Amino acid sequence: MAPRLQLEKAAWRWVDTVKPEDVTQEHIELAYRIAVPACKRGTCRRNCKGNPNCLVGIGEHTWLGEIDENAFHNIDDPNSERRDKNTFVGLTNLGATCYVNTFLQVWFHNLELRRMLYLCQNSRAEGHNAESDYEPKTICEHLQYLFALLQNSNRRYIDPSGLVKALGLDTGQQQDAQEFSKLFLSLLEDTLSKQKDPNLQNVIQQQFCGQFSYVTVCNQCGRSSALPSRFYELELNIQGHKNLTECITEFLKEEKLDGDNRYFCESCQSKQSATRRIKLHSLPRTLNLQLMRFVFDRQSGHKKKLNTFISFPEVLDMAPFLEAKGISCTYELSAVLIHRGVSAYSGHYIAHVRDARTNDWYKFNDEEIEKMEGKKLQLGIEEDLAETVKSQARKPKSSKGYHCSRNAYMLVYKRQTEEEDQTQMNVEMPAFLQRLVDQDNKKFEEWCSEMADMRKQSVDKGKAKHVEVKELYELLPAQEGEPYEFVPVEWLKKWLDDSTAIKAIDNSQFLCSHGKLHPDRIGEAKRISHKAAEILFSRYGGGPRIDRSFLCGDCVTRRCQVLRLKNQLNEDYREVTNLAKAQLKSGDEGFWVGKASLRQWRQLALEQLEEEEEETKHTNCKTNGEKPTNGLKENDGDVDEMKTFNEDILCCHGGLSIQESERRLVSAEVWSKLKVYFPNAPEFTQQQEACQQCMRLEREGKENEALNRMMASEQKTSLLNLFHEKNRPSLQKWPQDTDILYIVPLFFVDEWRKFIRRPAKSNPVSSVGNSILLCPHGGFMFTYDSMLQGDAQHIALLWPAEWEVVCRLFLVDQPISICRIHDATCAYVCVLSELCRECREGFIFQQQRDLREYAQATVYVRKVIDNKRMIKEAAPEFSMSGSEAEDEKEEPKVEGEKDPDFNQIMHAFSVAPFDQNLSIDGRCLTDDSATLGSLGVFPESIICLKADEPIADYAAMDDAYQGKKCV
């Protein structure tokens, strides 16, 4: 089919030979494109907007032919959410919580931990009403309920958001997985310690807690001192090692303490060289070995991941590492936690866990769970995901019973015991927890049933719609000679789009001012058979119904007239342009025409011709606020301002404008042609005089300008030093040759200087306006001391001689002076105007309040070494609010960033929050609940940051860790 513009031109091509009074029904049908051939399927890529008979590309292809019933709905099979038989339950990833899911799966498969957790007292769950949803409160309750769902839920995966929210974790930010493991076990131990059952109180210690001691031997006297300590996991350095045995050996190796790191011996009472080593005394039932893959890089100031291959056994003999010899201490690998990715700050966490009862290995990847074949651990493709282009280290071969990984960051080993067979250990769920699980399973089954019903309803509805469309689409095309009607093409598209609700047919948008079908809206309607229209309107309603009788002859006739005038307008435009170029001969009559009007007269004429037609249109087929277009280019943006021809040479009084540069003379022949198009345009002959009122106002303006210049010159001469700011008195050093000075607002002086510099453009200053320096009670707002400290920025000081001139030239509402008084002992300065103490105190209070309550202020943060040297300054544009808590102030805006992030001190200075010591003016900022203003952090303040050095002493490190646990 021809393009839309070609169809439109063809529809009106007949107007060149037909006068408006000769328009017939045949011409009307040509304008409405009734006889344009309909498009056939396969010939149009999309629907032809200019052809009302084109019914292709409106969405019919979806319904013609056979359709799979799954196309009638977008509801997944609810059974796909159901847990398969003899499989485990997954956990939903809430954004960046995959590291939490891996630990939860590992702890769930610790059968003894799960069994003991089920024994915890939970009065809320035991007395829960089955009619309402159960909502755990404590960490123990959340974990207990979560484990119960993981054990007996019918769902394929469950949502751990309750536990994550209770822990206060940010679901959008990936945390340190190793740190999370420590803190969670510490929190769980603290919660279980409050249980009445002694076995429950010590379950975390029995499962995960071992003991070692730091033994230090003085090289001078041989004195040995031991510091016992507990551990929940062993942190093993992997850098430079190939297997797990090397890592454990280095952890226990002897360390020399010499030089600056010497040990203070209590026997020698001095610092001595010594040796220190760690001695293992006891190991827990579950041994967590953390492989330190994420380490701090001093060069970059950030953490990095070590992609070192480490070999580890399925069976680990820890007896050689214990101090007590002859004890059997064999562990079996039960879980491997994997980090996919090359960065320490991103990536994905999964867990390989061995089922303690069947010894089968499973891979837990959030919602997805995969069983490994042959009851063997298969790390698989996880090892390939850490490869980079620059680093393609080959994976070492592993002997039988060993595995090798470059992504494993935690190994979990379970102690082998003869008296306990894990495969026979069943975890019985308490009845109250089983009731809660049954309640959740009931909700899940109800949801599955509801989804199945919705699927069935959608399929039944789709099948019925399929039959309807196939029948009606065949009836839509209007045959030649048969009655027809028009319906909106958008309605037909929505009718064929099953995803939207079908409304009644609305044809009111197509009506012209005569109540018939507007010819300009034919591109938005489709012509269909009367039989199809009867069925559609009976089923869906709407109106008005538009048939052949609604073709508007009046609109077509008017359009014919406008198009013919447009053609004549182009010829006149060319003739007027040529005539206007010729010079006006002497003695010929001339007429004044605006230059802007002459440039745009064709467009103005066209707008005037179409004015009547615009009244019959719906904003020219545009939405409200959209400008009508006519295909002509606007010139210099003047069309938006000019409404009628020659209005640009009219003055505000309705006479001829005095601006001769904006008008020109044209001949009578040119004016006669223009008058045809603009019969009501203002007419000014060559002899017409300009507006007398405008000429008088122009003369008066020039006279006032001359007076202003004279006044400015006189005032400048009288107050020359004040204008040039020379020889000005100062309060800091009182002038010797006078005992009195006068005060005026600085605003008055600034405005006066503006007038002196540009008297023709500025208004003269008439009064001093000292009242702005006074309070509502008439008292002065400043003291002599406050003016010395900064309030002088609001005032200007005048010499007595200058004050006399000011009083002569300007109106003075209230004189304000300051004088020096001599007595027998000394001289002092006072303000003669009375001070209003009440308003002064309020002014001072507001100033202090502005200092404490602010927003978008600049605050600097500097890092200090040895309390002396500033090594880095950040936040040149640090945006803060004085009402923000002190923990939020630790956020410099590093130069180059666009948005302030109040957690950037760590990134700007490479200092973790717990190593930051902040102070201002020697005062430590330690109160996390205080605001910046109450701590004295004002705009332009400098906060000093002193970083704690990393702890190298293992004993001190353990003490710090134990202290954190007790918090």
Side-chain angles (χ1 to χ4, degrees), residues 66-106:
E66 297 299 324
I67 306 177
D68 184 1
E69 66 176 28
N70 290 324
F72 295 133
H73 64 82
N74 57 357
I75 304 173
D76 294 333
D77 185 0
N79 289 319
S80 64
E81 304 295 308
R82 189 182 302 278
R83 177 183 183 179
D84 294 333
K85 188 177 181 180
N86 297 325
T87 59
F88 290 106
V89 177
L91 292 168
T92 303
N93 190 336
L94 304 177
T97 57
C98 51
Y99 68 99
V100 178
N101 293 344
T102 57
F103 282 108
L104 290 176
Q105 293 287 8
V106 170

Side-chain angles (χ1 to χ4, degrees), residues 535-567:
I535 298 175
L536 291 177
F537 277 101
S538 64
R539 291 184 182 179
Y540 301 103
R545 297 180 65 169
I546 299 176
D547 55 16
R548 185 175 183 272
S549 64
F550 273 71
L551 303 184
C552 186
D554 293 336
C555 287
V556 174
T557 301
R558 179 57 184 163
R559 173 61 60 84
C560 174
Q561 181 182 1
V562 169
L563 292 176
R564 290 177 64 84
L565 285 175
K566 282 182 182 179
N567 296 336

Side-chain angles (χ1 to χ4, degrees), residues 720-729 753 799 802:
L720 190 60
N721 286 342
L722 179 61
F723 177 74
H724 291 296
E725 293 189 78
K726 293 182 178 180
N727 190 24
R728 306 312 308 150
R753 287 187 181 128
W799 297 102
E802 292 176 333

Side-chain angles (χ1 to χ4, degrees), residues 861-865 869-874 909-911 943-947:
V861 179
R862 290 178 180 168
K863 188 176 179 183
V864 181
I865 290 183
R869 186 160 58 94
M870 305 289 184
I871 68 168
K872 184 173 184 180
E873 179 177 317
F909 300 102
S910 301
V911 179
I943 299 176
C944 294
L945 166 67
K946 186 175 181 182

Side-chain angles (χ1 to χ4, degrees), residues 235-253 290-292 308-311 321:
E235 298 180 350
L236 305 179
N237 175 38
I238 64 173
Q239 201 161 12
H241 301 303
K242 296 181 180 179
N243 55 60
L244 185 62
T245 303
E246 293 179 3
C247 298
I248 299 175
T249 303
E250 188 207 22
F251 180 77
L252 301 174
K253 76 175 182 179
Q290 279 211 18
L291 307 181
M292 304 302 290
T308 305
F309 280 107
I310 294 295
S311 174
F321 303 108

Side-chain angles (χ1 to χ4, degrees), residues 152-372:
N152 287 343
S153 177
N154 290 346
R155 302 177 187 267
R156 187 169 64 87
Y157 53 84
I158 59 176
D159 184 353
S161 56
L163 175 62
V164 171
K165 184 177 180 181
L167 293 172
L169 299 176
D170 184 356
T171 58
Q173 184 174 0
Q174 200 171 83
Q175 307 292 336
D176 189 321
Q178 298 168 336
E179 187 70 16
F180 168 75
S181 171
K182 297 177 187 176
L183 295 179
F184 185 84
L185 287 178
S186 175
L187 182 63
L188 187 59
E189 180 182 13
D190 180 65
T191 304
L192 293 175
S193 65
K194 300 174 184 177
Q195 294 286 325
K196 297 180 181 180
D197 189 343
N199 293 327
L200 290 175
Q201 294 175 0
N202 300 322
V203 63
I204 298 298
Q205 293 187 21
Q206 293 172 358
Q207 282 294 314
F208 304 104
C209 184
Q211 288 189 345
F212 59 63
S213 59
Y214 299 100
V215 179
T216 307
V217 179
C218 177
N219 292 348
Q220 182 66 24
C221 66
R223 180 181 179 274
S224 175
S225 62
L227 178 63
S229 182
R230 297 185 306 170
F231 69 89
Y232 292 82
E233 53 194 31
L234 296 180
E235 298 180 350
L236 305 179
N237 175 38
I238 64 173
Q239 201 161 12
H241 301 303
K242 296 181 180 179
N243 55 60
L244 185 62
T245 303
E246 293 179 3
C247 298
I248 299 175
T249 303
E250 188 207 22
F251 180 77
L252 301 174
K253 76 175 182 179
E254 187 175 89
E255 176 190 7
K256 293 183 179 181
L257 305 178
D258 52 17
D260 294 338
N261 200 26
R262 288 181 298 169
Y263 163 75
F264 183 83
C265 179
E266 294 184 359
S267 297
C268 301
Q269 287 297 306
S270 62
K271 284 190 174 182
Q272 299 291 339
S273 298
T275 59
R276 174 178 291 169
R277 62 185 293 263
I278 297 175
K279 292 184 177 181
L280 280 176
H281 300 297
S282 64
L283 294 173
R285 296 177 183 176
T286 301
L287 181 61
N288 294 327
L289 301 179
Q290 279 211 18
L291 307 181
M292 304 302 290
R293 291 211 173 270
F294 309 117
V295 298
F296 184 78
D297 185 10
R298 293 186 177 275
Q299 291 184 348
S300 64
H302 301 284
K303 285 196 304 182
K304 69 175 183 180
K305 180 182 178 182
L306 299 177
N307 292 316
T308 305
F309 280 107
I310 294 295
S311 174
F312 51 90
E314 292 184 358
V315 178
L316 176 64
D317 185 8
M318 289 295 292
F321 303 108
L322 289 172
E323 284 301 303
K325 304 303 179 183
I327 300 177
S328 175
C329 190
T330 306
Y331 285 85
E332 187 175 5
L333 185 66
S334 63
V336 179
L337 277 67
I338 297 290
H339 173 265
R340 295 177 174 178
V342 295
S343 171
Y345 295 99
S346 61
H348 184 59
Y349 292 88
I350 64 172
H352 292 264
V353 183
R354 179 173 58 85
D355 183 5
R357 299 194 300 178
T358 64
N359 287 326
D360 291 324
W361 280 91
Y362 292 83
K363 180 172 73 173
F364 292 87
N365 184 6
D366 293 332
E367 298 92 343
E368 303 299 326
I369 300 174
E370 179 183 356
K371 182 180 179 181
M372 300 292 102

